[in-house]
Amino acid sequence: MHLRGRRADGYHLIESLVAFTALGDTVAAVPSHELTLSVSGHFAENVPHGPDNLIVRAARLLAARRGATVSLVKDLPVAAGLGGGSADAAAAMRLLSRLWDVPLPRLSDTAELGADLPVCVNSVAARVEGIGEFVTELPPLPPLSVLLVNPGAMLSTAEVYAAASHPDMPPLPPLPLFQEARELAAWLQLQRNDLEDPALRLCPVVADVLATLRTGSDCLLARMSGSGSTCFGLFTTPAHAAREAERIAASNPSWWVRSTYLIE
């Protein structure tokens, strides 16, 4: 997550690599005369309801007066730097596009709902630039197992961006073609998350998560995801990730710990 400046309207310009895992929430939709949203799942109580919900806003952007009953099973932490809300909204848009037989909007138009929306519409690994509206699909990344750890803390993306003190940092270099996981991890090791320092000031426990991940003998790389507070560790095999998940969950029972893998 490289910050590359700030527009006159206050939005930060970014350069970022975004990838998707098999782990996620579940979105479903069926026809109805009006648009309604029901939310269940482990983190349902943290999801905003009403017209400000991102799924509702995305549906209205797609077709302002159409109806559907949309259900969300929220199993990812909220305000956790995972882009879960944007991925849910993008999934809802794809579902409703088929249900209503209307085309998806241009990716640049979805950026008004949030920087993560455009890349989540396609849900394939991509380089993201601008305020999120410029999405360049990448060649398939090598297979990687991923361990996600959240300490049970919510972080406001707006507050993390506001606390960033260096808005114009060096750019993200071109991505080479990676043959294996270790090559990708080594390249990522040379890059930054410019939101990590402000996130650590706002939520110091994130440093504990990173330190815990980095003590794992098989962890290729540990970084904060997006604006936090979730962190990820990269592993070469599912067995390595699962073993670390058991170790971390056993010593930190209040943390949210999940092992998964990258999808193309």
Side-chain angles (χ1 to χ4, degrees), residues 123-142:
S123 290
V124 294
R127 182 182 178 125
V128 177
E129 299 174 89
I131 62 168
E133 78 274 34
F134 300 117
V135 178
T136 304
E137 186 174 336
L138 299 175
L141 298 176

Side-chain angles (χ1 to χ4, degrees), residues 131-257:
I131 62 168
E133 78 274 34
F134 300 117
V135 178
T136 304
E137 186 174 336
L138 299 175
L141 298 176
L144 265 176
S145 294
V146 182
L147 179 57
L148 298 173
V149 182
N150 183 283
M154 298 172 64
L155 264 178
S156 163
T157 298
E159 291 181 5
V160 174
Y161 270 101
S165 56
H166 301 288
D168 191 3
M169 301 290 283
L172 186 70
L175 272 73
L177 290 175
F178 303 107
Q179 300 300 319
E180 59 178 28
R182 292 184 184 277
E183 293 178 354
L184 173 56
W187 184 86
L188 290 171
Q189 189 71 56
L190 302 175
Q191 314 312 320
R192 315 177 310 274
N193 184 339
D194 291 331
L195 297 179
E196 187 172 302
D197 284 345
L200 291 177
R201 292 196 297 271
L202 294 169
C203 187
V205 70
V206 172
D208 297 333
V209 177
L210 288 170
T212 300
L213 280 167
R214 287 167 180 159
T215 60
S217 59
D218 299 309
C219 186
L220 302 177
L221 175 76
R223 286 283 172 81
M224 189 182 78
S225 176
S227 58
S229 56
T230 304
C231 299
F232 64 85
L234 301 182
F235 298 82
T236 55
T237 70
H240 290 157
R243 183 167 60 244
E244 285 303 297
E246 290 181 4
R247 178 184 70 86
I248 293 174
S251 57
N252 301 276
S254 65
W255 290 5
W256 179 85
V257 183

